[in-house]
Amino acid sequence: MSKKVLVTGASGFIGSHLVEELVKNGHQVRAFVHYNSANSWGNLEHLPKSVLEQVEVILGDVADPFAVEKAVYGCQQVFHLAALIGIPYSYIAPSSYVTTNIVGTMNVLEAGRKYDVDRIVHTSTSETYGSAQYVPIDEKHPLVGQSPYSASKIAADKLAESYYLSFNSPVTIVRPFNTFGPRQSMRAIIPTIIAQALTRDSIELGSLDPIRDLTFAKDTANGFICAAKSELSLGKTINLGVGSGVSIGELVNLICSILEIAPNVLQDPNRVRPEKSEVSRLISNNSMAKELMGWEPKVSLEDGLLETVNFIRANIGQFKTSSYVV
């Protein structure tokens, strides 16, 4: 049955993919986009016209409870993706992460409780685990705030959990592992590598040693949808990951192989995270997602990278490769 659903953070990378998949699934979609004077809808503007014309776009700020209440009113489900997510920028402006990620989440939870929504799917992040104390990482792994970003997301997750336990709010927490794909900005490692490789003689990166579990955007978006459909996921925190890892160095070689160029990598000290803040290894245990929601990733790393390369090549003018994007 078609539902009216709200996606906060809809102009973002994952949000735009989720909006697209929800429309394809026949839902009425309301997209909550951060207010800006240019009336930019961000990544939603990359959606096919046939999809975008079915989306109700409203501008606001997730940190404003009145704007959030207006957005939630009349919706049966809420997919909460609005957040500040850049780890390096959280070193510069930690207060803004508290306001957006924690206060914003409380506003969504309160509005959902006020209007008695059927389901709230809250977005966590694998960064909440910190450096792996064991792998693969299951949902029982300790949470470690190794950056102001991850600390703010841990707090937001616990707020979501508290609303389920205190008020019986129908909350599910999904914890994506390093989603990638078309529309992602150079804040993330894969677009950074690809865009530099397409436009420069060398690729400037931080550490090449961290290992990441890379999940394609469409798979992650479908994980959100599976979470909203599953009664067994209520009150649970569920990993969305592939279950295998690749180092940044290996990733560079794979991308350069796709581009048919020889890698020339330089280390930029400005891109190296503080030693105690760097998360060295993230590999998911996704068995709970399979068991409770019937979800598992379908797109291979190689196929996802090829699709991402094609998108960035077609939109290379949008990528600023001359400076470090935090």
Side-chain angles (χ1 to χ4, degrees), residues 185-188 191-193 195-196 199-200 202-205 268 270-271 318-326:
S185 74
M186 285 187 63
R187 176 208 59 76
T192 294
I193 296 169
Q196 289 190 78
T199 60
R200 300 171 55 170
S202 60
I203 302 168
E204 295 185 0
L205 300 173
D268 177 0
N270 293 320
R271 299 172 189 257
Q318 299 178 17
F319 293 84
K320 299 179 176 67
T321 61
S322 61
S323 60
Y324 174 34
V325 179
V326 299

Side-chain angles (χ1 to χ4, degrees), residues 146-194:
Q146 284 184 222
S147 66
Y149 163 65
S150 63
S152 72
K153 292 299 290 183
I154 291 169
D157 293 356
K158 288 301 179 181
L159 263 179
E161 179 183 69
S162 77
Y163 268 67
Y164 171 75
L165 296 172
S166 300
F167 309 118
N168 202 32
S169 295
V171 175
T172 297
I173 301 170
V174 292
R175 191 164 278 157
F177 275 67
N178 297 97
T179 301
F180 76 99
R183 307 174 201 152
Q184 193 171 27
S185 74
M186 285 187 63
R187 176 208 59 76
I189 185 64
I190 288 177
T192 294
I193 296 169
I194 295 171

Side-chain angles (χ1 to χ4, degrees), residues 90-291:
S90 78
Y91 304 140
I92 298 169
S95 179
S96 62
Y97 283 69
V98 171
T99 300
T100 299
N101 297 353
I102 302 176
V103 176
T105 295
M106 182 183 67
N107 291 338
V108 170
L109 292 166
E110 266 299 304
R113 184 162 76 105
K114 178 176 180 177
Y115 295 122
D116 197 26
V117 300
D118 296 336
R119 184 66 64 95
I120 299 172
V121 179
H122 166 72
T123 312
S124 179
T125 168
S126 57
E127 285 282 334
T128 60
Y129 293 127
S131 291
Q133 297 177 30
Y134 58 84
V135 293
I137 299 171
D138 59 23
E139 291 82 357
K140 295 179 181 179
H141 189 285
L143 304 179
V144 183
Q146 284 184 222
S147 66
Y149 163 65
S150 63
S152 72
K153 292 299 290 183
I154 291 169
D157 293 356
K158 288 301 179 181
L159 263 179
E161 179 183 69
S162 77
Y163 268 67
Y164 171 75
L165 296 172
S166 300
F167 309 118
N168 202 32
S169 295
V171 175
T172 297
I173 301 170
V174 292
R175 191 164 278 157
F177 275 67
N178 297 97
T179 301
F180 76 99
R183 307 174 201 152
Q184 193 171 27
S185 74
M186 285 187 63
R187 176 208 59 76
I189 185 64
I190 288 177
T192 294
I193 296 169
I194 295 171
Q196 289 190 78
L198 287 172
T199 60
R200 300 171 55 170
D201 295 330
S202 60
I203 302 168
E204 295 185 0
L205 300 173
S207 175
L208 301 181
D209 297 328
I211 295 171
R212 295 293 184 263
D213 183 323
L214 298 164
T215 313
F216 193 61
K218 291 179 183 177
D219 284 332
T220 299
N222 283 318
F224 277 79
I225 294 170
C226 288
K229 290 179 178 179
S230 170
E231 290 301 314
L232 296 176
S233 72
L234 275 170
K236 300 291 196 302
T237 298
I238 303 173
N239 289 339
L240 298 178
V242 171
S244 61
V246 59
S247 73
I248 302 305
E250 292 168 335
L251 188 60
V252 171
N253 290 333
L254 184 54
I255 290 170
C256 288
S257 175
I258 292 171
L259 294 173
E260 299 182 337
I261 63 172
N264 178 25
V265 181
L266 305 176
Q267 186 174 79
D268 177 0
N270 293 320
R271 299 172 189 257
V272 178
R273 288 169 61 171
E275 182 179 356
K276 293 180 181 179
S277 185
E278 179 62 87
V279 174
S280 60
R281 184 172 54 164
L282 289 172
I283 301 174
S284 71
N285 181 330
N286 61 14
S287 59
M288 185 181 290
K290 294 178 182 178
E291 179 182 346

Side-chain angles (χ1 to χ4, degrees), residues 36-114:
N36 60 90
S37 60
N39 195 33
S40 170
W41 295 356
N43 282 303
L44 290 176
E45 295 177 7
H46 287 294
L47 298 185
K49 184 179 179 181
S50 60
V51 172
L52 191 54
E53 64 187 8
Q54 298 182 62
V55 179
E56 177 190 2
V57 178
I58 57 175
L59 301 181
D61 187 335
V62 74
D64 186 319
F66 302 104
V68 173
E69 282 194 10
K70 182 179 178 181
V72 170
Y73 178 75
C75 294
Q76 286 82 53
Q77 295 180 344
V78 177
F79 294 89
H80 176 43
L81 289 82
L84 287 174
I85 60 175
I87 295 167
Y89 188 60
S90 78
Y91 304 140
I92 298 169
S95 179
S96 62
Y97 283 69
V98 171
T99 300
T100 299
N101 297 353
I102 302 176
V103 176
T105 295
M106 182 183 67
N107 291 338
V108 170
L109 292 166
E110 266 299 304
R113 184 162 76 105
K114 178 176 180 177

